[in-house]
Amino acid sequence: MDDRALRERIAGDMPRAIDELERLVRIPSMGHPGYDPANVRASAETTRDILNEAGVTDARLLELDGGHPAVFGEIPGPDGAPTVLLYAHHDVQPEGPIEEWDTPPFEPVVKDGRMYGRGAADDKSGIVVHAAAIRALLADGRPPVSIKVVVEGEEECSTEHLPQLVQGNADLLRADVAVIADGGNYRTGVPTLNSSIRGVTDIVVQVRVLPRAQHSGSYGGPIPDAITALARIIASLHHDDGSVAIEGLQRFEWTGMQIPEDEFREESGVLDQVELIGAGTLSDRLLAGPAVAVLGFDAPAIAGSSNQIVPFARARVSLRIAPGDDPVAARQALVDHLRSHAPWGVEVTFEGTLGFEAGHGHLVDTTRPASRAAMDALARAYGREAIEMGSGGSIPLVPMLTQTFPGIEILIWGAMDERSFIHSVNESVELSEVERITLAEALFLRNLGGVSEEAAARLER
Ligand SMILES: [Zn+2]
C-alpha cells in the first residue's frame, strides 16, 4: 500500500471519523468529584464500541478500584514485529463558565473546518485518530505491527489510579513503543513531534501566628497577620527579574526550536504592558527550566472580613520542573525555601502527600528509530519537514510508562493546535489535522512494521 492509496483511503473515511468524534463529544465525561461518573462510563463504552467497530475486536473496559474505567484492546501482528501501544484519554475537563461558550460545550458544531465542543481536541480527537488509523491498516488484512490501544478515563482529574492502570496491567500494556495522541502541532499545518514534557509537583503551605483571630486595635502593630507573613514568603520565590529563586533546581539551555516572543504573547493573551519574567530565551524558560506559581489562597474573604489580625493563611504552590529534574528533590527544595524564608518566626506547616503526583518530566530521545520513523511519517503526511517541539506541560502517564517498561520509546503528537483552547471555553479541533495525524500514524505503523533490523540500523545512523 503506497502513501497515496493510504491517503485516499483515510480521506474517504473521514466522514465516519467525524461522526465518531461527535458521538464522543456529546458525552459530558467529566471525572472530577461532583460530576456524574455514569457519563465517564458511557464514554468508555462508546470508546470501546468505536474501537470494536474499527477492528479491535477484543476491546473492553479495564476497571480500576474506585476509579473511572479505561478501555483496552489489542490486535496481534506478525511474529517478531514490534508492539506499539496507542494511548488517548476519554475523560474531559469541566466545561467552565458556560455563558462564555459560543455554542453549548456538549453539542458538537462544525464551523469553518473546526469542530467545537469540550473534548473535541483534548483528547477525544486522539481516540478517533487511533480508530481511523487502525481501520486504514486493517483494510489490508493483518496490521504490520502488534497494536495495543489503551484509552484512559481519568487523565484530567486524578493520577491516583495510574499505578493500578499501568503497573497493575503491565502484561497487557507492555510495548516497544508508545504513541501518546494527547499532543499537537505547534501551529495548524506544521507537523510536530512533541519532544519533551516538564515535570510538576505542588504543596500547600500554611502560616499561623495566633491560635485564633484577635482584635487588630488591641494587638495590631506588634503582632503580624498571617496573610502579610505568607505574602512575604511567596514574594521570595522569584528574584527581581522574575526568575525562580529556589536553589537546587535544574535548568538547561534549549537547543531545539526557539519560540518567537510576539507569537507567544498573542497566543497567551498576556496584557501588553506585562513584562515576560525570568532569564534566558523563552524556550529556556518554558521548556527547560522551572516555573513556580500560586494556584490558590485561603484567607478570609473580603465580604465579612473585620478588624482582626488574621491568625492563619494557606497557599497552594505549584512547581513545574525541567525534564530530567527529580520531582522529589525539587519538592524538598521548595519546602526548604518556603520554610527558610518565613519572616518573624511565624509557624510554617505543609500539607500534601508525596505520591505519584510529584511527576517526572520526560525528554524524548529523538535519535532513536521510532522517533526517526515518526518524523518521516509526519513529513510525508503533511508534505513538509516536521519539527521537534518541547511542551511546558506534563503528562503523568509518560514517566509511569518509562518506569514500568524500561527502554520503551515514547512518541507524543496529536491533532491539537495553537487554536484548540484545550481546558478553556470554545475548545475545538481542526478536522484536517485529525485527517493528517491519522495518516501520519498509519504511515508510521506501516513503516515501523517494515523496519527490519537492517533498516533500524540505517535509521540509527
Ligand atoms: Zn489531554
Side-chain angles (χ1 to χ4, degrees), residues 89 122-123 155-156 182 416 423:
H89 61 88
D122 183 14
D123 183 30
E155 196 274 345
E156 302 287 7
D182 192 15
M416 303 173 208
H423 296 200

Side-chain angles (χ1 to χ4, degrees), residues 10 13 17 20 24 47 50-51 54-56 71 75 84-89 123-138 147-152 178-183 411-415 434 437-442 444-445:
I10 286 169
D13 186 49
E20 290 174 340
L24 288 165
T47 299
I50 287 170
L51 290 174
V56 189
V71 181
I75 314 168
V84 180
L85 178 69
L86 305 177
Y87 168 89
H89 61 88
D123 183 30
K124 287 170 170 170
S125 68
I127 302 169
V128 168
V129 164
H130 293 326
I134 288 170
R135 270 199 300 275
L137 292 171
L138 289 189
I147 294 175
K148 297 180 173 181
V149 191
V150 64
V151 183
E152 191 186 356
V179 177
I180 316 288
D182 192 15
L411 303 175
I412 307 167
W413 63 23
V434 173
I437 288 293
T438 299
L439 176 58
E441 189 161 301
F444 166 74
L445 294 170

